[in-house]
């Protein structure tokens, strides 16, 4: 259970770092930014297709983080029921 919690926490931090990197375009073009993009962008693209930006603000990462949290809670409940 702790490994699963750690994996969700690391992925959440990766999303937050990726969001913050969008404010500094030079960072997204770095090697670290490209690797992080390959990890985070497939998940975020699901929400970007559903939720359009509001003006200049993209709220899809916030919804993606909330969904990730709900998935974690649901997975905990299923695993606690099984175990």
């Amino acid at each position: 259970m702790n490994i699963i919690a750690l994996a969700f926490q690391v992925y959440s931090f990766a999303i937050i770092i990726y969001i913050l990197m969008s404010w500094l375009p030079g960072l997204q073009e770095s090697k670290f930014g490209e690797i992080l993009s390959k990890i985070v962008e497939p998940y975020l693209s699901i929400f970007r297709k559903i939720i359009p930006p509001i003006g200049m603000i993209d709220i899809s990462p916030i919804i993606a983080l909330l969904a990730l949290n709900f998935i974690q809670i649901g997975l905990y409940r299923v695993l606690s029921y099984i175990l």
Side-chain angles (χ1 to χ4, degrees):
M1 295 288 265
N2 289 335
I3 294 171
I4 294 171
L6 180 63
F8 276 99
Q9 188 174 18
V10 167
Y11 198 71
S12 295
F13 283 139
I15 292 172
I16 292 169
I17 291 169
Y18 184 72
I19 294 166
L20 293 175
M21 286 175 60
S22 70
W23 294 347
L24 302 168
L27 287 177
Q28 281 188 331
E29 295 170 5
S30 69
K31 188 68 174 171
F32 177 72
E34 290 175 7
I35 293 170
L36 198 58
S37 174
K38 289 179 183 177
I39 295 170
V40 173
E41 196 58 44
Y43 179 67
L44 289 179
S45 67
I46 297 168
F47 295 94
R48 288 193 177 127
K49 290 177 187 174
I50 300 169
I51 305 165
I54 300 171
M56 296 285 292
I57 300 172
D58 183 14
I59 63 167
S60 61
I62 297 168
I63 305 301
L65 285 170
L66 287 172
L68 192 64
N69 194 18
F70 285 133
I71 292 168
Q72 181 181 7
I73 292 168
L75 187 60
Y76 275 167
R77 293 209 178 163
V78 169
L79 289 177
S80 66
Y81 179 75
I82 292 173
L83 301 175

